[in-house]
Amino acid sequence: MNLLSGAKILLECLVRENVDCIFGYPGGVTLPLYDALYDHPIRHVLVRHEQNAAFAAQGYARSTGRVGVCCATSGPGATNLVTGLVDAMMDSIPIVALTGQVTTKLMGTDAFQEADTFGITRSATKHNFLVKNIADLPQIIHEAFYIAASGRPGPVLVDVTKDVFQGQAPYTPVTEIHLPGYKVYSEGHAGQIRRAAQMIWEAERPFIYGGGGLIAANASEEFREFVETTDTPTVCTLMGLGAISSEHPNFISMPGMHGSYAANMAFSHTDLIVALGVRFDDRVTGRLAAFAPHAKVIHVDVDPAEIGKNRHADLPIVGNLKRVLPKLTAEIRDLAPSMKAKNAGARQAWWKQVREWKAEHPLVAETSDTEIKPQHLMAEIDRLSGGHAIVTSDVGQHQMWSAQLIRFNEPRLWINSGGLGSMGFGLPAAIGAQFAYPEKLVFSIVGDGGFQMSIPELATIANHKLPIKIIVMNNGYLGMVRQWQELFFNNRLSSVALTSFPDVEKLAGAYGFTGRTVESVREMPKALADAVAEPGPYLLNVKVTPFENVFPMVPAGGALNEMVLRPPQPVEA
Ligand SMILES: Cc1ncc(C[n+]2csc(CCOP(=O)(O)OP(=O)(O)O)c2C)c(N)n1
């Protein structure tokens, strides 16, 4: 019988899962795997830190909807993955992390580079496995992919001992996954769906609250049809941007802490929230007790644990949005002849009100003739993107301005760390996305803080000549923390000034590509256009006004209708 090494069996399983690219970093116990990769068609991308392998795998997964794969050695390699795993867990991103573990007989002896990866990553993953027997390997790898991608997606880790990589066994392809304890609910309850349609028609001020679950379910088309059939004002969360085009007439904006006035006022006045693939996150709801006080809630989610977790659902539907939404839309259409006229007047008045709120305080980019406002930078990037570029962001003020001001006319273009808010995410995520879409325009918008967490990955970018446009929104501070210190700690700016930022021309030059700093507002549009025109990578350091704050803002613990709309204006003498 033909025998294969565990390493080769693992790669064979990855081929069967259509994996074309792994982001990773080698080490002692993964040597047999890397030896098998040496002349294998699956591409291994050597990142410069394991955390970035997990972020790059996420960039790949978030931009394609496929499972991203990362790999690390035992001990420090595996522990370096943890932030990326928790990040994927918080945002429901399907990745499979492969880690090496010391030889089975050394486990528990404090062997060199031994860490309890299985224990450490238990709460950081949707599921994790430890493989100590080569005979289990194929089944486990396919189960890992199935669990990562199905139901509510998430990260799955497979820890493989060195003796399993090195062992020899016959390989029989796995044809069936049978996980009796793991239930995926997809269809939604027909009676509940019908009831939901009725509630939607009965509402006078309905409001659609769409989230990342719509994107995870690839349900954008179904979502658009639902929105148009009900003709309801719609917001998308930070994770849901692009689920419906930013230019769709029903789309209001992002809601929440830095959401628009219209979005937050609508939450405060609606009588029915249709919550689709969302989790009533505190950054959306503000003070939960004061959130949407007049609203009933229909909550559709694939994960039953989300329903009623933060906000009671008057009507729960557990199911996959791609399956549930068409049924809901069909029920809405069915009921239209008998229900349409009932609240038509009230609904018209509601739309009028929402449009007025939108017109009263629109999200517009401030500009100046003398300096570069960060909002102006985002407006220029938006112009170049036209709603079609992939934009990855890091975490901080630049992330919020990007979300407010850049259009996303399709899903999977806006890639950011929503739930965990991990600085250092943006640049490696762009690497993953650019590998997935070599021809696409990819902007990576980062703060001067987060950028400095990602500098090692400039080597990966240079190595593969990835044409990523790295835009550093350089305000000289850990901007978002400075904003909070200014607003809530008497402007006592403690450890937030970022002095000693590197000369980007020299920095990018050291890696063999172009870097440039732009300080003049007149030159900024052309500098961005030049970056886009460059065939290879480009590092553009944009010096923006340092003390700008992100508004609107709902102070932490505040209710949505207590949002602060703009900075206090100087009092005229
Ligand atoms: C790994 C990590 N450490 C700390 C934080 C807390 N934090 C949130 S925003 C922020 C400031 C980010 O500064 P910068 O990257 O310059 O972006 P800006 O806010 O100026 O746009 C910090 C430190 C975080 N989110 N992630």
Side-chain angles (χ1 to χ4, degrees):
M1 184 176 270
N2 204 5
L3 297 180
L4 286 182
S5 71
K8 287 200 168 148
I9 292 175
L10 170 61
L11 292 182
E12 187 52 39
C13 296
L14 298 189
V15 168
R16 284 167 195 272
E17 292 291 346
N18 296 316
V19 173
D20 54 6
C21 182
I22 303 176
F23 303 90
Y25 208 93
V29 302
T30 53
L31 277 167
L33 177 62
Y34 278 80
D35 187 60
L37 276 166
Y38 178 76
D39 47 8
H40 194 277
I42 291 182
R43 182 173 202 180
H44 179 272
V45 178
L46 176 69
V47 292
R48 299 309 195 259
H49 188 291
E50 290 86 352
Q51 174 174 300
N52 298 328
F55 287 155
Q58 280 202 51
Y60 184 95
R62 289 177 192 243
S63 60
T64 59
R66 294 167 58 191
V67 177
V69 183
C70 58
C71 177
T73 193
S74 65
T79 55
N80 272 350
L81 284 180
V82 171
T83 301
L85 295 172
V86 180
D87 191 284
M89 187 73 175
M90 291 285 272
D91 286 350
S92 308
I93 305 302
I95 61 170
V96 167
L98 304 166
T99 49
Q101 182 53 273
V102 299
T103 295
T104 308
K105 70 175 188 313
L106 288 180
M107 284 181 74
T109 68
D110 295 334
F112 178 63
Q113 293 194 328
E114 181 185 3
D116 176 15
T117 303
F118 185 72
I120 290 168
T121 61
R122 204 186 170 102
S123 62
T125 51
K126 180 175 175 186
H127 195 68
N128 64 0
F129 296 92
L130 171 62
V131 193
K132 295 205 283 188
N133 183 345
I134 192 169
D136 300 333
L137 186 62
Q139 188 72 32
I140 287 179
I141 294 296
H142 292 298
E143 285 178 9
F145 275 79
Y146 176 70
I147 294 170
S150 58
R152 178 181 189 161
V156 178
L157 181 135
V158 186
D159 199 28
V160 184
T161 58
K162 188 169 186 180
D163 47 303
V164 167
F165 281 135
Q166 285 176 312
Q168 300 274 325
Y171 170 64
T172 327
V174 172
T175 49
E176 211 183 319
I177 301 283
H178 181 60
L179 296 169
Y182 176 66
K183 293 235 175 326
V184 175
Y185 305 89
S186 27
E187 297 304 320
H189 186 279
Q192 296 287 84
I193 293 173
R194 189 159 185 90
R195 177 78 197 103
Q198 216 147 12
M199 280 172 75
I200 290 169
W201 276 124
E202 279 162 10
E204 296 186 350
R205 300 182 303 283
F207 195 49
I208 296 174
Y209 163 33
L214 290 160
I215 292 174
N218 293 317
S220 278
E221 266 311 296
E222 294 78 3
F223 181 46
R224 188 184 50 74
E225 273 219 54
F226 171 70
V227 168
E228 288 175 0
T229 307
T230 57
D231 191 19
T232 302
T234 299
V235 286
C236 289
T237 65
L238 183 70
M239 288 301 299
L241 291 175
I244 193 163
S245 166
S246 305
E247 292 177 64
H248 194 283
N250 287 55
F251 178 68
I252 307 299
S253 73
M254 170 177 85
M257 180 172 274
H258 294 297
S260 71
Y261 177 74
N264 290 346
M265 289 302 281
F267 264 135
S268 304
H269 289 80
T270 173
D271 65 350
L272 178 70
I273 294 173
V274 185
L276 305 173
V278 295
R279 56 190 178 84
F280 293 85
D281 172 59
D282 56 272
R283 286 301 194 257
V284 168
T285 62
R287 191 167 69 249
L288 197 56
F291 174 69
H294 314 291
K296 286 191 174 157
V297 172
I298 296 170
H299 193 170
V300 189
D301 204 283
V302 76
D303 182 359
E306 275 309 332
I307 293 183
K309 185 183 82 178
N310 291 335
R311 168 75 182 232
H312 170 74
D314 300 274
L315 191 106
I317 298 175
V318 179
N320 182 319
L321 286 155
K322 199 169 180 68
R323 308 283 307 159
V324 172
L325 280 177
K327 296 183 205 173
L328 186 53
T329 305
E331 293 286 359
I332 298 269
R333 287 194 180 124
D334 263 12
L335 292 178
S338 58
M339 302 289 282
K340 199 167 183 166
K342 191 166 178 256
N343 288 323
R347 280 166 180 253
Q348 254 173 14
W350 172 233
W351 251 124
K352 185 164 167 284
Q353 172 68 83
V354 174
R355 285 202 185 94
E356 274 169 22
W357 283 325
K358 214 175 159 180
E360 252 173 83
H361 300 286
L363 285 175
V364 281
E366 279 181 54
T367 57
S368 150
D369 293 338
T370 52
E371 42 187 18
I372 306 178
K373 294 258 185 195
Q375 300 91 326
H376 189 180
L377 169 64
M378 300 317 165
E380 282 301 315
I381 295 173
D382 172 64
R383 201 172 52 79
L384 289 166
S385 158
H388 298 293
I390 291 178
V391 178
T392 77
S393 99
D394 213 76
V395 172
Q397 291 184 312
H398 63 281
Q399 177 189 24
M400 293 300 119
W401 281 313
S402 300
Q404 289 179 341
L405 298 168
I406 299 177
R407 284 165 297 164
F408 298 102
N409 290 356
E410 295 156 41
R412 302 196 178 283
L413 294 178
W414 167 238
I415 295 175
N416 80 132
S417 166
L420 195 63
S422 314
M423 283 174 73
F425 172 90
L427 197 58
I431 292 175
Q434 190 82 78
F435 266 106
Y437 294 104
E439 308 300 329
K440 244 182 143 62
L441 174 58
V442 178
F443 286 104
S444 184
I445 305 177
V446 293
D448 41 336
F451 173 68
Q452 291 184 80
M453 287 193 179
S454 318
I455 284 178
E457 294 312 322
L458 295 180
T460 314
I461 290 171
N463 199 178
H464 297 276
K465 299 190 172 50
L466 299 174
I468 299 169
K469 311 308 166 197
I470 307 162
I471 315 293
V472 182
M473 191 203 83
N474 191 336
N475 51 18
Y477 285 94
L478 293 170
M480 190 55 100
V481 180
R482 186 207 56 72
Q483 172 167 347
W484 283 57
Q485 290 181 347
E486 179 192 324
L487 299 177
F488 309 116
F489 290 86
N490 291 326
N491 205 25
R492 285 154 58 89
L493 300 189
S494 177
S495 292
V496 287
L498 292 171
T499 40
S500 304
F501 193 76
D503 174 333
V504 296
E505 205 171 316
K506 288 188 186 148
L507 180 64
Y511 288 101
F513 63 92
T514 313
R516 182 181 166 195
T517 291
V518 60
E519 304 191 49
S520 136
V521 67
R522 267 184 299 106
E523 288 170 19
M524 190 255 290
K526 167 95 168 50
L528 279 168
D530 288 349
V532 170
E534 176 95 5
Y538 203 104
L539 172 58
L540 187 66
N541 176 36
V542 185
K543 293 270 202 97
V544 298
T545 48
F547 297 116
E548 212 70 40
N549 290 334
V550 183
F551 289 105
M553 179 177 191
V554 179
L560 288 190
N561 58 0
E562 292 162 9
M563 86 199 92
V564 181
L565 286 167
R566 61 172 73 81
Q569 303 299 310
V571 183
E572 299 285 330

